[in-house]
Amino acid sequence: MNNWIHHLVIVLVLIAPLSLFAEEKYETFLRRILNIREDKIDICELSFELAKDANPALKKEKYLRRLDDMAEKIKFMSMNSTMPHNRVNALVSYVHEISETKFSKDDPYDKTNAVRFLYQSLDSNVGTFKTMPTLYICLAQKLSWPIYYTKLPGHVFLKYHAPPYRDTNIELTSPVSYSDEKYINEFTVPPKTIEAGVYMRPQAHREYLGELLAELGAYWFSKGELMQGMRYMETARELSPSSVTIVEALGDLYKLYFNISQGDPSKYQKEVVAPEYLKRSKYYHGIGEQLKNGIIPKELQKRAIASEKLM
């Protein structure tokens, strides 16, 4: 998501057409997403629903059947164990060795947009930071295993989080498991950000849904549909308010809106709307800086972060 701005053409219009959703249906869709309870969130189903917005011809049934089959095989490999370590070993071994899903070390953030959605990963057997978490979480939910998305500065991994057991970490780039200490040292994670829950915290599925929605927003930005991308991204922030990635992307987007408006002959755009774009850009960049320093802004402190239920 970090490189989408650099690929946009400056001649984009400010208000672009909506894709799959007519205006009313689109707003209804976003309200439904926002109102899903944590225990009702099915990452597998929702990931395909979001992907279908980008690819209306997508047929999810064959992929869901394949994922069901994968989950059954992982359950068998785990020997129905209730121990986190045994379950994680079965899951990781299946994904990396039996399914032959290879993490793309050449293009881990999918700058080419070839493997942005889970179905593309299943078709190609190639995983990226955009799709590997979804694959793991989909399979874990089918098995009723508590595996959650976890963020670092410039990296993500997963945690099997089931107190009173100690967390078991899942590295996305390889079948090797790393300790919290290794992640903290290697990625120089500031202690304050850990205390604040910005990094190293297992995130609720609601928050991960926000990350998926933000990726869909980034997809529409890359297609030149800024307004639709903005709505997705703003909704993503509601789902995951402490995401540094999302608030920084919003700051960048509003700055882009401001720059485009300066070339618009409309007095309304230049003198009325443009200052608001710049104001919002500075606001979101400011929140991003606070979060990276382990400071939770007051407006976020008032919000209930869903993942607190996991701690």
Side-chain angles (χ1 to χ4, degrees), residues 1-283:
M1 189 161 59
N2 297 334
N3 296 308
W4 51 265
I5 287 181
H6 305 294
H7 296 92
L8 288 175
V9 181
I10 242 359
V11 294
L12 298 172
V13 294
L14 285 175
I15 300 203
L18 297 176
S19 63
L20 178 63
F21 304 105
E23 184 73 21
E24 183 176 351
K25 185 176 180 181
Y26 174 83
E27 295 298 340
T28 301
F29 167 74
L30 289 183
R31 283 196 299 272
R32 178 169 65 83
I33 290 290
L34 280 171
N35 291 326
I36 300 177
R37 286 170 29 192
E38 173 69 16
D39 61 346
K40 298 296 183 182
I41 291 175
D42 185 329
I43 290 297
C44 210
E45 287 283 350
L46 288 166
S47 68
F48 283 104
E49 187 171 354
L50 296 179
K52 194 173 177 65
D53 184 43
N55 177 12
L58 176 65
K59 303 295 183 183
K60 67 180 181 180
E61 289 74 21
K62 70 173 183 177
Y63 297 106
L64 292 175
R65 287 194 298 270
R66 181 177 170 187
L67 289 162
D68 285 338
D69 180 65
M70 293 169 73
E72 283 300 314
K73 290 175 179 175
I74 293 165
K75 183 178 180 181
F76 177 79
M77 288 175 63
S78 74
M79 301 176 65
N80 290 321
S81 175
T82 59
M83 299 303 294
H85 185 71
N86 294 338
R87 289 178 169 184
V88 168
N89 280 346
L91 177 59
V92 172
S93 295
Y94 183 87
V95 170
H96 281 275
E97 298 172 15
I98 297 177
S99 77
E100 297 184 343
T101 302
K102 305 299 182 185
F103 187 85
S104 176
K105 294 186 177 180
D106 293 330
D107 190 16
Y109 293 98
D110 187 42
K111 295 178 182 178
T112 60
N113 289 329
V115 192
R116 182 183 289 274
F117 301 108
L118 177 57
Y119 78 89
Q120 295 170 319
S121 190
L122 292 171
D123 283 342
S124 64
N125 282 340
V126 173
T128 67
F129 282 121
K130 295 178 182 178
T131 61
M132 286 293 271
T134 310
L135 175 60
Y136 273 113
I137 293 172
C138 276
L139 294 171
Q141 283 195 305
K142 288 180 178 296
L143 293 162
S144 298
W145 293 355
I147 290 176
Y148 301 99
Y149 188 71
T150 308
K151 302 186 79 171
L152 293 166
H155 192 73
V156 298
F157 66 105
L158 303 173
K159 279 182 174 288
Y160 187 109
H161 182 72
Y165 294 109
R166 183 177 180 179
D167 287 355
T168 301
N169 296 333
I170 300 174
E171 172 57 32
L172 300 173
T173 63
S174 76
V176 179
S177 178
Y178 299 121
S179 66
D180 281 0
E181 291 73 22
K182 181 174 176 61
Y183 280 123
I184 291 168
N185 292 331
E186 185 169 334
F187 292 93
T188 318
V189 186
K192 286 186 177 180
T193 63
I194 299 174
E195 294 170 12
V198 177
Y199 298 126
M200 294 298 297
R201 172 176 58 84
Q203 298 190 348
H205 293 320
R206 175 181 174 83
E207 291 176 281
Y208 183 57
L209 179 57
E211 300 290 338
L212 293 178
L213 199 59
E215 284 297 343
L216 184 57
Y219 169 81
W220 286 116
F221 297 154
S222 72
K223 297 297 182 182
E225 299 199 16
L226 301 188
M227 186 60 71
Q228 183 168 348
M230 169 62 72
R231 288 177 175 177
Y232 276 128
M233 194 68 75
E234 289 282 9
T235 305
R237 185 183 176 242
E238 290 294 315
L239 292 166
S240 186
S242 62
S243 171
V244 174
T245 307
I246 293 173
V247 296
E248 288 189 334
L250 278 166
D252 290 344
L253 180 63
Y254 276 115
K255 182 63 181 295
L256 178 64
Y257 265 60
F258 172 77
N259 290 339
I260 293 175
S261 70
Q262 296 307 287
D264 192 298
S266 165
K267 181 177 180 181
Y268 176 78
Q269 288 291 342
K270 280 189 174 182
E271 297 183 9
V272 180
V273 180
E276 181 61 25
Y277 292 156
L278 190 58
K279 179 181 178 181
R280 291 187 184 184
S281 174
K282 291 179 178 179
Y283 168 74

